Amino acid sequence: MLARVARGPGLLALQGPGPGGVPRRCLAGLPRNTVLLFVPQQEAWVVERMGRFHRILEPGLNVLIPVLDRIRYVQSLKEIVINVPEQSAVTLDNVTLQIDGVLYLRIMDPYKASYGVEDPEYAVTQLAQTTMRSELGKLSLDKVFRERESLNANIVDAINQASDCWGIRCLRYEIKDIHVPPRVKESMQMQVEAERRKRATVLESEGTRESAINVAEGKKQAQILASEAEKAERINQAAGEANAVLAKAKAKAEAIRILAAALAQHNGDAAASLTVAEQYVGAFSKLAKDSNTVLLPSSPGDVSAMVAQAMGVYGALTKPTSPAARDPPS
């Protein structure tokens, strides 16, 4: 059985069974004690003195005692990317999924990462897999695809709670691929197609309803506008007729007033008699033109008699009526 013991997740030394089954370490890949050591940036070298932890070398120049001091672990402080192998998980609605991911972590405490766990990479990978299975068991298949961000966050929180004593901090976890069984995938596609058909039918019905509403609203507005236009037309026509009647009445009253003023002048009666005679003669000349029924005076050939008769009618109409004549007898 081989396990990594140096450079954190980077393989520098292997551990295998020694004599009698006791594990032993192969330190061939670790830096040797040359008294003066230069530690690269973003690396931490764990030094043991006579088999016991002594100190952690910082980047730069460091001095060690030969034979007594030995570099036992080299930890990288950079962000490390680990591929989580594909595994099967069962959702809340009993659907088996094949899922894998990528884990981003960083060593925060080289001492805990060296002595707190034998293989940090293997431990974090197994923890990520078990946490992923646990979190997927809480969600249904539909929610797995909708809540990937919350699922990643829950896995990161669970890993950090367990890996704190290892000196490792999980920064991010991302799900790469989710493989669904073929039959379940076909059912999901059928469900999506049915949902799209349903949505299309609903949208079509809503469009038909909106169209009918718009048409009815347009007819209503057209009828309202037509009735208002007819009302306004009638009002305008009535107003025009009233104004015409009023204008005619005013003109007739003005004509009567002018005629009365003319009759009151000198020789007004003679002028009125002449006008009446002319109108009488003109009316007599039109007899039998518009109708077959003719009313003739007693002496149609005597013009002077007709004029005298017309003047007699005019005089009777213009003669003032006495109070005794206006009051009927008791």
Side-chain angles (χ1 to χ4, degrees):
M1 177 179 179
L2 299 178
R4 301 173 185 178
V5 298
R7 283 194 183 273
L11 181 58
L12 288 183
L14 300 178
Q15 173 180 305
V22 178
R24 60 181 177 82
R25 300 181 185 275
C26 177
L27 305 178
L30 294 176
R32 293 183 179 183
N33 185 358
T34 57
V35 182
L36 296 179
L37 298 175
F38 297 92
V39 180
Q41 185 66 32
Q42 291 298 98
E43 285 191 5
W45 293 5
V46 180
V47 177
E48 293 181 355
R49 175 169 292 179
M50 294 183 295
R52 184 177 181 180
F53 172 74
H54 175 57
R55 67 190 180 98
I56 298 176
L57 301 182
E58 300 293 336
L61 178 62
N62 293 271
V63 180
L64 296 180
I65 300 176
V67 181
L68 298 181
D69 295 337
R70 183 170 55 180
I71 301 172
R72 195 59 178 269
Y73 298 98
V74 175
Q75 302 290 355
S76 175
L77 303 182
K78 300 177 183 179
E79 186 173 347
I80 304 168
V81 181
I82 300 176
N83 288 322
V84 180
E86 187 179 61
Q87 61 176 334
S88 62
V90 181
T91 61
L92 184 62
D93 47 357
N94 297 324
V95 178
T96 303
L97 302 178
Q98 298 293 329
I99 187 170
D100 58 358
V102 180
L103 185 64
Y104 300 85
L105 53 85
R106 176 177 293 173
I107 295 177
M108 309 302 294
D109 190 342
Y111 175 81
K112 291 182 179 181
S114 301
Y115 298 100
V117 61
E118 184 66 25
D119 190 345
E121 179 182 350
Y122 178 78
V124 173
T125 302
Q126 294 299 314
L127 181 59
Q129 290 181 335
T130 55
T131 305
M132 185 190 302
R133 285 194 293 267
S134 176
E135 293 296 330
L136 284 176
K138 301 177 183 178
L139 301 175
S140 61
L141 180 60
D142 296 334
K143 291 185 178 180
V144 170
F145 296 96
R146 291 198 305 263
E147 300 183 3
R148 294 182 65 168
E149 293 184 2
S150 61
L151 181 61
N152 295 335
N154 294 336
I155 295 175
V156 170
D157 294 339
I159 293 175
N160 286 331
Q161 291 178 5
S163 63
D164 184 64
C165 59
W166 302 338
I168 299 174
R169 181 72 177 175
C170 180
L171 303 178
R172 293 182 306 279
Y173 182 85
E174 298 292 338
I175 297 176
K176 290 197 302 184
D177 295 321
I178 300 177
H179 301 284
V180 184
R183 297 186 61 181
V184 177
K185 188 175 182 180
E186 293 177 0
S187 301
M188 293 175 62
Q189 291 178 353
M190 295 175 61
Q191 181 181 359
V192 171
E193 292 177 359
E195 184 67 25
R196 289 180 178 176
R197 286 196 299 268
K198 174 184 175 182
R199 192 179 306 170
T201 304
V202 171
L203 291 177
E204 184 178 359
S205 62
E206 290 180 354
T208 304
R209 184 188 65 179
E210 293 293 335
S211 176
I213 292 175
N214 291 336
V215 171
E217 188 68 23
K219 291 182 179 179
K220 176 183 175 182
Q221 294 295 333
Q223 292 178 357
I224 292 174
L225 294 176
S227 62
E228 291 181 353
E230 185 178 359
K231 176 183 176 181
E233 182 181 1
R234 290 182 178 180
I235 292 174
N236 293 334
Q237 185 177 2
E241 292 178 356
N243 292 332
V245 172
L246 182 60
K248 289 180 181 179
K250 290 182 177 180
K252 190 173 182 179
E254 184 66 18
I256 294 173
R257 185 181 63 80
I258 295 173
L259 182 59
L263 292 175
Q265 294 179 0
H266 183 67
N267 295 328
D269 294 337
S273 300
L274 179 59
T275 302
V276 171
E278 290 177 352
Q279 293 179 354
Y280 186 84
V281 173
F284 183 77
S285 63
K286 294 181 182 180
L287 291 176
K289 288 184 179 181
D290 298 332
S291 176
N292 295 330
T293 304
V294 180
L295 297 177
L296 296 175
S298 59
S299 55
D302 191 355
V303 179
S304 61
M306 290 188 294
V307 174
Q309 184 179 1
M311 293 302 297
V313 174
Y314 173 74
L317 293 176
T318 57
K319 184 178 181 181
T321 305
S322 62
R326 288 198 303 266
D327 297 335
S330 59

